[in-house]
Amino acid sequence: MHLSDHNNMNVQIEESWKEQLQGEFEKPYFSQLVEMVRREYQQTTCYPPGRFIFNAFNLCPFNKVKVVIIGQDPYHEPGQAHGLSFSVNDGVMFPPSLQNIFKEIQDDLGTPIPLSGNLTRWAEQGVLLLNATLTVRAHQANSHSRIGWQTFTDAAIRALAGQREHLVYLLWGGYARGKAYMIDRTKNLVLESVHPSPLSANRGGWFGNHQFSRCNAYLQEHGIAPIQW
């Protein structure tokens, strides 16, 4: 378990995020959260593997973030989740939402659909692929959605919103759009749309949004290197 040791809440997370979120680690809810997660991982199968719980933060330091994509919950079937929202490990079939993301990128930018659904390459370019809830029980969507993770991930969004500007927030679906109130739209670009899952996307509002090209145009306007989607 890469959460902490018993004594001093030494959370194993990338240093710049550790600095930003130190206050959270010292709050009562966080120690309860750690205990709950530790117990769940001991007693049942949970995803992602412990060392990947903070993967989104570890691959994308605080000052390197350019784009924030908020997901809800990790994938809950074997081998899929590795701590990045919407991303799956190499060799895993693309879940439907990810297929629709790649289709829209292809339509928008002409980029061919990749062979792997592993979005580590986005994270390393400054895309924070943040799930609001960072763990899940096998086969049980949203099973950890009420144990305190959202207080923690909201604190991460607030830290970015308070100290960074010219970020692009991609808020897909009602859940992610519910985070918009934390973000100052005069200093950042907020692009909202329906969720890329087939249920929402096929009703309209996902395809033809051009949010990936709009994101890159905004970054370039502010002298920031665009993302190679």
Side-chain angles (χ1 to χ4, degrees), residues 37 41 46-48 53 73-74 133-137 144-145 147 149:
V37 170
Y41 272 74
C46 295
Y47 301 119
I53 291 174
D73 195 44
T133 296
L134 296 185
T135 56
V136 69
R137 266 188 200 180
H144 288 176
S145 66
I147 65 174
W149 276 129

Side-chain angles (χ1 to χ4, degrees), residues 79-209:
Q80 293 180 311
H82 62 132
L84 304 176
S85 60
F86 296 100
S87 178
V88 288
N89 279 305
D90 292 318
V92 175
M93 260 179 60
F94 300 168
S97 293
L98 187 56
Q99 276 178 27
N100 284 338
I101 290 168
F102 287 150
K103 262 189 226 161
E104 174 57 18
I105 290 172
Q106 185 179 38
D107 294 347
D108 187 8
L109 298 169
T111 310
I113 290 179
L115 298 172
S116 171
N118 186 331
L119 304 180
T120 297
R121 60 195 177 84
W122 290 5
E124 288 172 341
Q125 295 178 73
V127 182
L128 182 67
L129 292 157
L130 183 63
N131 277 319
T133 296
L134 296 185
T135 56
V136 69
R137 266 188 200 180
H139 321 303
Q140 294 179 42
N142 292 312
S143 43
H144 288 176
S145 66
R146 295 203 171 85
I147 65 174
W149 276 129
Q150 290 170 41
T151 307
F152 176 73
T153 53
D154 277 0
I157 297 166
R158 281 205 179 86
L160 287 167
Q163 293 176 57
R164 299 286 318 279
E165 52 183 36
H166 307 320
L167 300 188
V168 181
Y169 292 84
L170 300 177
L171 306 182
W172 301 337
Y175 184 83
R177 292 165 88 168
K179 308 289 182 185
Y181 75 94
M182 293 186 260
I183 304 154
D184 182 347
R185 291 172 190 258
T186 64
K187 294 182 181 164
N188 302 278
L189 179 63
V190 178
L191 296 175
E192 300 184 45
S193 79
V194 299
H195 197 275
S197 71
L199 197 66
S200 315
N202 298 339
R203 287 202 297 255
W206 172 257
F207 296 108
N209 239 329

